[in-house]
């Protein structure tokens, strides 16, 4: 019975990154051996155990065999005869197929250390093509490691294109697509997630609403990058910079301009009304992927109202209050914060504008603060009742917002 540290923990040690989770594989053991040592079973499809003291996961070495479509279509073998090399062979990427024993000696049968040094994401074996989730995982790892210079190996990209052509990606369930997407939105460079999926042909299958944005021109005086798809990539990366690891802001950034794909050709490169056109495709995307309700709700608000945020200084005080009310910002200021981060990412996610100020955010937060300070108590004291109290509060809030001097820059 031998125990090895495996996967991401070994990879991240080699990259000098902080270790978040440690996973172990146990070779030469049976489930009853683990029970005898006090380990607690947690695996459903194959034997995984929790260490009795640390709570870390220990899995018996296993092999897997493809039996059907999708990522559920596998049979597993986990017994004392499975070798470490066999267990590592079933992993997705070479950089995740490195093991380390208790003495720090590394086992690297698939040259993952070389690929870490060369900054390459490369599949371990042709069996990679049997699990469509791996395509999403490669795109997600690209979003994580692109800042370090990692790229997808040509042969791996070829394999991924073949998976899409064979229809394997069509068998991905919505929940798994969303789980991987949500993780990708928390990575340092989410644009790489889109680029890898698009290069593989998977973006058009999984996110047709996003894929449709590529090649759609915008007015160069406002968007020097011109291409709307490129703009979305820049907004995603800016969102990751402004709100690290915040997938809610990231999802709002991803979907805020879906309406631009629906602009009539004769109107290009202008996009009049795109903020309203984008609501329907956003609903379709959110429903198809079973996106959480709050993500869908805030993304819709960003889609519909981001232009109002950009022109906040031109809005009438009554319109500012209406905007704040649509966000429920008086009761839930955190929604305004999310909204403003996504809007700022949109404004700064343009070629040559990454370091622009966004004073609209401070103005709208000040408007929210002064409006929220208006309460019902003084109007009740005046003897007002029922709807009259609400009307008086609305008027007072509009007057309070009107008293704020916008801090333009």
């Amino acid at each position: 019975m031998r125990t090895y540290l495996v996967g991401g923990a070994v990879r991240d040690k080699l990259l000098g990154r902080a270790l978040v989770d440690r996973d172990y594989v146990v070779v030469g053991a049976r489930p009853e051996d683990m029970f005898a040592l006090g380990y607690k079973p947690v695996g459903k499809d194959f034997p995984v155990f929790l260490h009795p003291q640390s709570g870390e996961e220990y899995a018996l070495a296993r092999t897997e065999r493809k039996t059907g479509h999708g990522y559920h279509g596998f049979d597993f073998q986990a017994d004392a005869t499975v070798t470490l090399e066999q267990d590592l062979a079933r992993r997705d990427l070479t950089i995740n197929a490195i093991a380390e024993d208790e003495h720090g000696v590394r086992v690297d049968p698939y040259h993952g250390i070389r690929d870490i040094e060369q900054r390459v994401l490369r599949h371990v074996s042709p069996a990679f093509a049997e699990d469509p989730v791996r395509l999403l995982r490669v795109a997600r790892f690209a979003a994580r490691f692109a800042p370090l210079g990692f790229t997808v190996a040509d042969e791996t990209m070829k394999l991924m294109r073949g998976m899409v052509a064979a229809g394997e990606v069509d068998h991905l369930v919505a929940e798994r697509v969303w789980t991987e997407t949500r993780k990708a939105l928390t990575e340092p460079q989410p644009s790489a997630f889109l680029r890898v999926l698009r290069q593989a042909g998977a973006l058009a299958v999984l996110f047709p609403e996003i894929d449709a944005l590529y090649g759609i021109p915008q007015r160069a005086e406002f968007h020097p990058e011109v291409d709307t798809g490129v703009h979305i990539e820049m907004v995603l990366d800016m969102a990751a910079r402004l709100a690290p690891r915040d997938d809610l802001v990231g999802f709002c950034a991803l979907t805020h301009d879906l309406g631009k794909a629906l602009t009539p050709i004769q109107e290009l490169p202008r996009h009049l009304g795109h903020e309203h056109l984008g609501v329907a495709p956003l609903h379709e995307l959110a429903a198809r992927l079973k996106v959480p309700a709050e993500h869908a709700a805030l993304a819709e608000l960003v889609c519909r109202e981001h232009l109002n945020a950009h022109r906040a200084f031109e809005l009438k005080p009554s319109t500012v209050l209406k905007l704040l009310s649509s966000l429920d910002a008086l009761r839930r200021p955190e929604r305004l914060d999310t909204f403003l981060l996504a809007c700022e990412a949109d404004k700064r996610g343009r070629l040559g504008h990454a370091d622009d100020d966004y004073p609209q955010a401070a103005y709208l937060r000040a408007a929210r603060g002064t409006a929220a300070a208006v309460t019902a108590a003084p109007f009740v004291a005046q003897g007002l009742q029922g709807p009259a109290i609400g009307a008086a509060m609305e008027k007072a809030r509009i007057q309070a917002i009107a008293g704020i001097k916008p801090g333009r820059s």
Side-chain angles (χ1 to χ4, degrees):
M1 179 174 170
R2 296 287 303 275
T3 299
Y4 297 86
L5 182 69
V6 292
V10 181
R11 176 200 69 222
D12 287 347
K13 282 179 69 174
L14 289 166
L15 286 169
R17 293 165 58 92
L19 303 189
V20 179
D21 296 310
R22 296 172 184 267
D23 294 313
Y24 297 87
V25 66
V26 182
V27 179
R30 302 167 301 165
E32 46 266 40
D33 299 324
M34 304 299 284
F35 294 141
L37 294 171
Y39 287 78
K40 300 177 181 178
V42 293
K44 294 181 180 179
D45 298 319
F46 43 82
V48 178
F49 302 85
L50 296 183
H51 190 280
Q53 279 80 47
S54 70
E56 294 174 320
E57 287 192 358
Y58 287 69
L60 296 188
R62 68 182 189 271
T63 60
E64 54 190 38
R65 181 175 61 88
K66 183 74 168 175
T67 59
H69 290 295
Y71 71 98
H72 283 306
F74 290 91
D75 277 341
F76 299 94
Q77 175 193 356
D79 58 46
T81 67
V82 178
T83 67
L84 176 63
E85 288 73 15
Q86 287 176 315
D87 181 271
L88 295 175
R90 66 175 178 77
R91 297 174 187 268
D92 50 7
L93 298 173
T94 60
I95 65 171
N96 298 327
I98 310 167
E100 182 178 287
D101 69 14
E102 66 272 23
H103 304 296
V105 177
R106 297 188 181 103
V107 181
D108 181 27
Y110 306 105
H111 311 295
I113 295 175
R114 175 202 63 193
D115 285 341
I116 286 175
E117 293 170 347
Q118 296 180 358
R119 300 302 198 243
V120 175
L121 301 174
R122 191 191 316 274
H123 64 284
V124 171
S125 76
F128 175 99
E130 297 175 350
D131 184 355
V133 172
R134 288 175 170 173
L135 193 151
L136 285 165
R137 279 173 54 83
V138 170
R140 175 163 62 83
F141 280 124
R144 180 180 302 177
F145 294 127
L148 300 180
F150 276 82
T151 58
V152 179
D154 291 342
E155 62 268 31
T156 301
M157 182 56 68
K158 181 179 179 180
L159 192 64
M160 290 163 63
R161 290 196 190 103
M163 294 167 67
V164 175
E168 189 69 26
V169 175
D170 300 336
H171 297 282
L172 283 168
V173 298
E175 291 84 355
R176 198 59 191 268
V177 176
W178 170 245
T179 295
E180 293 297 323
T181 301
R182 190 172 193 171
K183 291 178 180 177
L185 292 173
T186 69
E187 301 294 359
Q189 196 171 319
S191 61
F193 179 75
L194 296 187
R195 285 195 298 275
V196 168
L197 290 181
R198 186 164 181 256
Q199 192 176 353
L203 193 66
V205 177
L206 300 174
F207 301 94
E209 301 87 354
I210 304 296
D211 189 69
L213 296 172
Y214 285 89
I216 301 296
Q218 304 164 107
R219 293 174 63 181
E221 64 267 37
F222 300 124
H223 286 276
E225 71 282 358
V226 180
D227 190 298
T228 305
V230 174
H231 170 58
I232 294 301
E233 292 181 4
M234 297 176 74
V235 175
L236 277 177
D237 290 348
M238 182 56 67
R241 173 178 158 185
L242 296 173
R245 305 198 64 78
D246 191 327
D247 59 89
L248 179 53
V249 174
F251 184 68
C252 293
L254 176 68
T255 57
H256 79 283
D257 263 354
L258 294 183
K260 289 183 176 178
L262 302 177
T263 299
I265 294 177
Q266 65 272 17
E267 293 182 11
L268 295 174
R270 303 181 72 191
H271 293 278
L272 296 176
H274 75 275
E275 66 273 25
H276 302 295
L277 289 174
V279 172
L282 171 57
H283 285 171
E284 293 175 12
L285 186 154
R288 186 177 67 251
L289 297 187
K290 301 180 180 179
V291 171
E294 183 67 356
H295 282 63
L298 266 173
E300 179 178 341
L301 287 165
V302 172
C303 179
R304 198 173 62 230
E305 303 288 355
H306 64 277
L307 292 187
N308 277 333
H310 298 338
R311 56 184 174 229
F313 300 135
E314 283 72 50
L315 299 180
K316 296 185 295 185
S318 59
T319 305
V320 171
L321 180 60
K322 183 179 179 181
L323 172 61
L324 295 173
S325 298
S326 71
L327 291 163
D328 197 18
L330 301 187
R331 293 191 312 118
R332 301 171 62 187
E334 73 281 358
R335 289 183 117 225
L336 178 62
D337 290 335
T338 297
F339 173 79
L340 291 174
L341 283 166
C343 292
E344 182 175 355
D346 175 39
K347 199 68 171 178
R348 295 171 61 182
R350 299 178 296 150
L351 191 63
H353 292 272
D355 296 320
D356 285 2
D357 291 329
Y358 194 66
Q360 295 94 325
Y363 168 62
L364 288 172
R365 287 193 180 95
R368 184 263 160 203
T370 194
V374 176
T375 65
F379 303 108
V380 172
Q382 293 173 19
L384 297 182
Q385 296 180 350
I389 296 174
M393 289 179 64
E394 180 177 356
K395 182 178 179 181
R397 283 171 170 165
I398 292 171
Q399 290 175 342
I401 293 171
I404 300 174
K405 185 178 181 181
R408 299 168 186 259
S409 64

